[in-house]
């Protein structure tokens, strides 16, 4: 079984409003048989952090189009997106690029 992971999860660009207005969360992901990946992290976020309107953050098993995801300051598209395996002390930033006008 893998050890628990400490991960910083941050929301910006208005996405934090779906999480009680809290931008930074230092979370401990419990140990599990399979490694943690972004897909599993999104399920965990939905169950544990997301406070309202999940449809504004999630679409299916991923984030909605218009939400930029950075892992350790790198675009997740370069790192495997949902399949990126989280490491202890990783930083995952979700930035909404969707704004009203």
């Amino acid at each position: 079984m893998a050890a628990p992971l400490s991960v910083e999860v941050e929301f910006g660009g208005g996405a934090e409003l779906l999480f009680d207005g809290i931008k930074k969360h230092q979370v401990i992901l419990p140990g599990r048989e399979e490694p943690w990946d972004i897909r599993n992290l999104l399920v965990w976020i939905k169950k544990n952090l997301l406070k309202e309107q999940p449809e504004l953050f999630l679409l299916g098993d991923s984030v909605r189009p218009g939400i930029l995801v950075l892992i350790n300051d790198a675009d997740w598209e370069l790192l495997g997106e949902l399949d990126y395996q989280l490491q202890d002390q990783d930083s995952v930033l979700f930035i909404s690029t969707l704004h009203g006008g």
Side-chain angles (χ1 to χ4, degrees):
M1 175 180 277
L5 296 179
S6 176
V7 178
E8 181 180 85
V9 178
E10 188 172 355
F11 304 96
E16 68 276 7
L17 299 174
L18 302 174
F19 299 88
D20 274 350
I22 300 171
K23 288 189 174 196
K24 280 190 180 185
H25 302 259
Q26 192 65 41
V27 301
I28 305 293
L29 300 173
R32 46 182 272 150
E33 293 295 323
E34 298 294 318
W36 280 94
D37 58 22
I38 296 295
R39 181 178 285 105
N40 304 128
L41 176 65
L42 289 173
V43 171
W44 188 93
I45 286 172
K46 182 178 180 183
K47 288 181 182 174
N48 295 280
L49 298 179
L50 189 57
K51 301 300 181 192
E52 56 185 270
Q53 298 183 292
E55 69 277 4
L56 295 180
F57 184 70
L58 298 168
L59 183 63
D61 68 349
S62 190
V63 293
R64 288 190 64 81
I67 295 187
L68 176 66
V69 182
L70 300 177
I71 302 168
N72 301 323
D73 298 324
D75 189 330
W76 76 326
E77 292 180 0
L78 303 173
L79 300 172
E81 297 183 355
L82 292 171
D83 296 324
Y84 173 79
Q85 290 190 1
L86 291 164
Q87 307 296 314
D88 195 46
Q89 303 302 314
D90 271 352
S91 172
V92 184
L93 172 60
F94 299 92
I95 302 173
S96 175
T97 61
L98 306 172
H99 304 283

